Amino acid sequence: MNKYLAIIIAVLYGAEMQGQTLQPAPRLVVNITIDQLRTDYIEYFSPLFGQDGFRKLLEKGCVYEAASYPFSPVDRASGIATIATGTTPYYHGIIGTRWLDRKTLRPVFCADDPTYYTSPWRLATSTVSDELKVSSHGSAIVWSVAATREAAVLSAGHAANGALWIDEQNGRWRSSTYYSTKTSEWLKAYASLHPIEIQSPKNGVKRKGNVSISAVDALGYVYNDEVADASCNVVTSTAMGRDDVPDVLSITLSAAKENVTNWQVEMENVYMSLDNTIGKIISTVDNEVGADHVMFVVTSTGYAEEVETDLHQYRIPTGTFRIDRTANLLNMYLSAIYGQGFYVEACYGNQFYFNHQLLEQKHISVTEILQRSQEFLVMCAGVGDVYTSERLLKGNSDILRLRNGFNVATSGDIIIDVKPGWRLLNEETQESYTSRASFVPFPIIMYGAGTKAQHVTTPVTVDRIAPTIAKSIRIRAPNACSSEPLF
């Protein structure tokens, strides 16, 4: 009896192992992040799509329909960093595109590097491509291509072969000396053969050279074809996906258009063009590497920049919360309690930064002054809630998303949540935004390399993308990633 049982177990185990070996690891992972992509727009414009882009992904891919980010707020930089690392800003440190440096009290850009001009050195954890480099002893090929430099370097990670983006000053393809010198040699040859025509955001006239960062941001979708062409060229020229060592190519596209007032009309060209671009990438890479050897991962940065509207004319409750004035009032209030001093050293965005050196000199408890400040600020018009650093660090479940978007080293001591419909204005810097608790629907799509076609309605978060890729290519997940794979 035991003999027959052992035979049955051996047969079943052998069948299971055979099933596992039938699906080898993909030779190439193409990770496509689309800035401000929305599911509702995809659905609305779907009758206009061809067969090789969105339609192929939705019909033949594994589609997670209800994706979200596990932290707030989200922008392009923080979203891409989370996709790459499988964790939140609480660990990877990229709380946004810019934040205030506590030492200099000046805004810093997330991809700035004092040595190399641009690099991922502010990214505090490993990425899935970093882990691939470690696992393969450096033999894996890792590249990233985007229109903006923060998208390029954050998705590339620390150990990539190269990252390419469109220079905001001259409109040419650029990389960083942080990466291999071979990258510069290849890039010079490619850029000379593929000059970029820059479209002016003001008058629509195309020209070469001299494009500002605002132009690249506002017309990001215009450069999708250039990003796609460069990405496909990288696959060909670097022989990605040609051996059994997996490679990773990260691509950032855009579904963003500035000052949209009628989305049904204005976004049609954006999504039709995006559909063609995605189809071109899939077809080219499949032909180069083989459809069975490539896994495509497609998702969104999960936020949407909306046009500010004068709500007064529609009698919708609104107002203006002036954060710099409020900082002055808070300093006056705290001076009345603790003596004269600039306790709030600076404000940036919706955050207050305290002078910790002054607090130490005056022997003032941080816990006490944060509590008093919170009590004062919640009384101000337009304030919905006040989150102190200590409150966020406790990480209670009701504010977990905000806690995940907080970072001890880079975030402020107090974060102001302005009431929906209210405008937050910094009169000193003229920065402003209108608070809106908007939901942006977007998917996570896995396609190719034997991935089963299905639609999953269970809500999932994008921090599960990195461990899913890691599992697929048989490596460990990034070092701050604790999320489970999607499958």
Side-chain angles (χ1 to χ4, degrees), residues 129-391:
S129 57
D130 290 339
E131 297 295 342
L132 175 59
K133 278 288 192 179
V134 173
S135 175
S136 66
H137 303 287
S139 62
I141 303 171
V142 175
W143 279 80
S144 173
V145 185
T148 60
R149 60 189 178 112
E150 77 277 12
V153 299
L154 292 175
S155 56
H158 304 87
N161 296 79
L164 306 178
W165 65 89
I166 300 173
D167 190 279
E168 60 263 32
Q169 299 299 323
N170 57 33
R172 297 174 182 172
W173 281 110
R174 181 168 182 173
S175 187
S176 170
T177 53
Y178 171 86
Y179 301 103
S180 170
T181 54
K182 294 181 179 179
T183 301
S184 300
E185 296 172 2
W186 175 87
L187 182 59
K188 288 179 182 178
Y190 178 80
S192 63
L193 295 174
H194 301 83
I196 298 174
E197 289 200 333
I198 299 302
Q199 182 164 336
S200 168
K202 293 182 179 179
N203 52 28
V205 177
K206 289 189 175 181
R207 68 184 192 278
K208 294 188 181 210
N210 295 332
V211 57
S212 67
I213 185 66
S214 60
V216 174
D217 283 345
L219 293 173
Y221 74 95
V222 171
Y223 306 109
N224 283 340
D225 282 338
E226 283 80 2
V227 170
D229 290 342
S231 301
C232 293
N233 193 282
V234 166
V235 173
T236 304
S237 60
T238 63
M240 299 185 89
R242 303 297 174 83
D243 55 31
D244 291 333
V245 178
D247 303 318
V248 172
L249 171 64
S250 295
I251 305 171
T252 304
L253 303 175
S254 178
K257 189 176 188 297
E258 191 178 40
N259 297 327
V260 175
T261 56
N262 186 336
W263 68 266
Q264 291 97 329
V265 175
E266 297 178 59
M267 296 303 292
E268 179 178 311
N269 287 338
V270 175
Y271 274 75
M272 287 181 64
S273 175
L274 187 58
D275 177 60
N276 291 331
T277 302
I278 293 172
K280 177 167 60 177
I281 293 173
I282 293 174
S283 300
T284 302
V285 175
D286 278 351
N287 290 335
E288 284 289 331
V289 182
D292 294 336
H293 300 301
V294 184
M295 182 172 76
F296 293 90
V297 182
V298 181
T299 194
S300 169
T301 50
Y303 74 101
E305 293 179 348
E306 300 181 3
V307 178
E308 291 195 8
T309 305
D310 182 8
L311 300 180
H312 286 289
Q313 63 177 316
Y314 301 105
R315 300 180 181 179
I316 297 173
T318 185
T320 300
F321 174 78
R322 292 174 170 83
I323 192 166
D324 50 337
R325 291 189 188 182
T326 305
N328 292 333
L329 290 173
L330 180 57
N331 270 325
M332 293 172 61
Y333 170 73
L334 295 175
S335 293
I337 299 173
Y338 301 109
Q340 288 297 317
F342 289 98
Y343 298 93
V344 179
E345 206 168 19
C347 54
Y348 186 78
N350 64 338
Q351 303 184 35
F352 290 112
Y353 292 78
F354 278 75
N355 187 337
H356 285 258
Q357 185 176 0
L358 178 62
L359 299 184
E360 290 179 6
Q361 290 174 354
K362 288 179 172 287
H363 305 289
I364 300 173
S365 165
V366 174
T367 300
E368 179 186 331
I369 198 169
L370 288 179
Q371 183 177 346
R372 286 184 179 273
S373 299
Q374 182 181 25
E375 293 170 354
F376 174 83
L377 291 169
V378 293
M379 303 296 292
C380 298
V383 174
D385 207 341
V386 177
Y387 301 93
T388 67
S389 56
E390 293 192 347
R391 181 184 176 191

Side-chain angles (χ1 to χ4, degrees), residues 438-459:
S438 58
F439 168 70
V440 178
F442 68 93
I444 297 173
I445 305 173
M446 305 277 187
Y447 165 74
T451 304
K452 180 182 177 182
Q454 59 179 322
H455 279 246
V456 181
T457 58
T458 305

Side-chain angles (χ1 to χ4, degrees), residues 7-22:
I7 293 174
I8 293 172
I9 291 174
V11 170
L12 291 175
Y13 180 76
E16 181 182 356
M17 292 303 293
Q18 184 180 13
Q20 290 178 355
T21 56
L22 287 176

